[in-house]
Every structure is written in structure tokens, then in C-alpha cells.
Amino acid sequence: MSSNRVIFLIFDSVHLLDLAGAVTVFYESGCCGKHYDMRYVSPYQNPATSSGLGFSNVEPLSSVTVNKNDIVIVAGMEIKKWNRADDQLWIPWLQAAAATGATISSICTAAFALAAAGLLNGQNCTTHWAWTTILQQKYPLLKVMDNKLFVQSGRIFTSAGIATGIDLALYLIEEQHGAAFACLVAKDMVVYVRRDGTEAQNSIYLQNRQHINHHIHQVQDHIVKHLHHKLKIEQLAELVFISPRNLTRLFKSATGTTIGQYIQSLRQEKAKHLLKTKHKIAWVAKECGFSSPAQLRKSVKEA
């Protein structure tokens, strides 16, 4: 079997972007030089999307035997139309796939399917923000996490859904082919690369981005682009039309760090990088937003 095989499990009433986002990442990987054999399986002969579009080129589950090198991705579905009477059509297959050691991933509400199959018992996981509370209530053995793009527990991944399926797929690409290639695929797709936060960040542009708060992402983008300026919380708050006090609270909740600490860490890392390029220290200090070369030296020494 190819070690670069991705198997998409499709339920009836699947959400189109949950499926298409991840599919596109692996398709674009092929366009960038790393091909994936993509298979589409379903317990139903002609599953349809929640928006009414139907599929015809879908194989029965029995036609694909999963091995440990495969990636299985279960796309999210409309829970209200999810037919639990059909559990035995797919649960044994999914359990067998997990037992091989294959990578099992859910996008959005598909976390409910992984939970129903018993794959998330005692594990950290997530789903779309509108369903995290219900998932936890329905499956109390789970450790459901809020405000995460995606969560890894061993070789099982769960994502927050919709566009975060793209983030998860890019991370899986990075696992196999490295960060540089994942960034190339992201650039080809014209999307911003974010990270789960369990791995060391290799770029100042990606630090503390493991959340789904759009306003905080806007503030982070502004900070990164304006490190050479004096950054005031009042001005940052005006960017997203919230109070400075509320921004301070939301920023810490989303990122796990304060705005001041975030700015300081970015300035320190940028300074370390620029100093290696043999620029004059006075220029580096100004470019990174330090008031003087002495302040830069002190900050870098403390980092």
C-alpha cells in the first residue's frame, strides 16, 4: 500500500466544506510535488451533502482495508440527520482502522462519530464551538476542549470544523513532509498557516495562534506587522472595536499569554534573527521596537 493514502469517510448529509477543505489540501500537495492517493468511502451508496449536492464516485467501506500508514478523515455531518440506526454499518470498520495504528481524524461534528466508536474515551478532543458542550454531555468520558483549531491525542486528531479542517490537513502534511512544504501548499491555496500549538513554533508569525478568535488574530496580525512602532493596548482595541479591558481579557484567554508578553517575545525573536544577519545593533533595535541598543541587549539576554 502507498504510505501517502488518505481515505475520506463520508456520511449522508456531510458538510461540503468540512470535506472539500481537507480534500483540497491533499490535492494541492500533489500539485506541489507530493502526491496522495485519495479514496472516498461511505456506508451509503449515494451520500449527499447537507446542502443537497450528491456524490456518485464513492466506494463501499468493504472495498478499502486500512493499514497503519493511512490517514482516515471523517468529515462532519448534520447531526440532526445523522442516522444512528446505521452504526453497525461503519463503527466496526472505523474501530478496525484505528486498531491498525492509522491516523484517524475528524472534522467538525464527525467527532461525534469517533466518540460513538469509542475512539475518544479518556482523550482530549474538540469539535465545532457550537457542539462542544453537547459532545461533552453526551460522552462524559471525553475531555472536550474549547477554542482549539484541532487537538491531537496519539494518532487521533479532532478539529473544530469548517475551515479548521484545512488547518488539520496542513498539519498532517507537515508531519510527513516538513514545515516548508506545508507552507508551500498553504501559499498555493492562498490560506494563512496556523498551528495547533503542540509543536515548537518555527516562525514569529505563527506563535500563540492556536485559537479561533478572529478578533485576536486581527490584533496579532497588526502586532507582527508593526513591531517597530510603539504599540498601545488602546489602539489595538480600536482595531477590533472592543474596550482595552475586554481585549486584555480575551487576548489572555485565547492565547495563554498577555499582550505585553506576546509583543516582547516577538521582538526578542525578531531581534535574535536580525542580529544573526550582521545588521548594526542600532538598526535592529529600531526595527524591533526597542528604545535603544541597550534595551535590546537586555531583552535578548533575558529571553
Side-chain angles (χ1 to χ4, degrees):
M1 290 287 184
S2 168
S3 61
N4 284 356
R5 187 169 71 158
V6 186
I7 303 159
F8 293 92
L9 172 56
I10 302 171
F11 286 106
D12 201 29
S13 294
V14 65
H15 292 311
L16 185 56
L17 186 53
D18 287 353
L19 176 64
V23 167
T24 303
V25 170
F26 290 102
Y27 170 79
E28 291 295 337
S29 175
C31 295
C32 294
K34 304 292 185 182
H35 174 74
Y36 281 84
D37 175 22
M38 293 189 286
R39 305 284 291 273
Y40 306 93
V41 299
S42 176
Y44 308 101
Q45 187 173 359
N46 297 112
T49 67
S50 57
S51 53
L53 181 66
F55 298 101
S56 58
N57 188 26
V58 178
E59 303 175 75
L61 293 174
S62 59
S63 68
V64 176
T65 300
V66 178
N67 67 70
K68 67 178 182 179
N69 295 317
D70 289 331
I71 296 173
V72 175
I73 295 180
V74 189
M77 62 289 186
E78 189 171 344
I79 293 292
K80 293 179 181 178
K81 295 182 180 179
W82 188 35
N83 189 353
R84 293 300 306 279
D86 295 336
D87 280 3
Q88 289 306 306
L89 297 180
W90 59 270
I91 283 183
W93 184 90
L94 189 57
Q95 289 174 333
T100 68
T103 297
I104 309 294
S105 307
S106 68
I107 299 172
C108 195
T109 50
F112 282 82
L114 269 59
L119 303 186
L120 299 179
N121 290 343
Q123 304 297 318
N124 292 335
C125 61
T126 194
T127 188
H128 188 281
W129 62 266
W131 291 96
T132 52
T133 299
I134 297 173
L135 180 64
Q136 184 66 79
Q137 291 172 345
K138 189 170 181 62
Y139 299 98
L141 295 179
L142 277 54
K143 300 174 183 177
V144 182
M145 306 178 73
D146 294 315
N147 194 38
K148 290 290 185 180
L149 293 173
F150 59 91
V151 175
Q152 178 179 3
S153 292
R155 295 312 302 160
I156 296 180
F157 296 80
T158 52
S159 77
I162 317 298
T164 62
I166 295 174
D167 297 294
L168 173 54
L170 284 169
Y171 182 81
L172 295 175
I173 291 282
E174 179 178 331
E175 274 202 321
Q176 293 194 334
H177 304 297
F181 183 76
C183 287
L184 177 64
V185 174
K187 183 179 179 181
D188 208 44
M189 292 178 63
V190 200
V191 299
Y192 191 90
V193 179
R194 301 181 289 181
R195 285 294 180 274
D196 160 70
T198 58
E199 297 295 325
Q201 304 296 322
N202 62 0
S203 166
I204 62 173
Y205 301 100
L206 303 178
Q207 290 183 358
N208 300 93
R209 304 291 300 213
Q210 67 272 28
H211 60 84
I212 55 176
N213 189 308
H214 177 63
H215 285 152
I216 303 305
H217 278 303
Q218 282 184 279
V219 170
Q220 289 176 296
D221 288 341
H222 182 85
I223 289 172
V224 167
K225 293 175 183 176
H226 298 86
L227 282 175
H228 55 295
H229 292 155
K230 187 173 183 178
L231 295 164
K232 296 182 178 180
I233 292 179
E234 291 77 11
Q235 294 172 331
L236 297 175
E238 288 179 3
L239 290 173
V240 290
F241 306 104
I242 59 179
S243 70
R245 183 178 179 181
N246 199 27
L247 173 61
T248 300
R249 180 184 62 81
L250 289 175
F251 194 98
K252 179 65 180 294
S253 175
T255 68
T257 189
T258 67
I259 295 174
Q261 290 168 336
Y262 181 71
I263 293 172
Q264 185 73 354
S265 65
L266 294 187
R267 283 177 170 159
Q268 288 169 339
E269 188 170 334
K270 185 174 182 180
K272 288 178 183 178
H273 171 73
L274 292 178
L275 288 171
K276 291 177 182 177
T277 61
K278 308 301 182 183
H279 285 291
K280 292 183 178 180
I281 191 168
W283 180 86
V284 174
K286 183 178 180 180
E287 186 69 15
C288 296
F290 292 105
S291 60
S292 66
Q295 188 190 40
L296 182 153
R297 291 192 189 96
K298 184 175 184 292
S299 181
V300 171
K301 186 176 180 181
E302 293 173 348

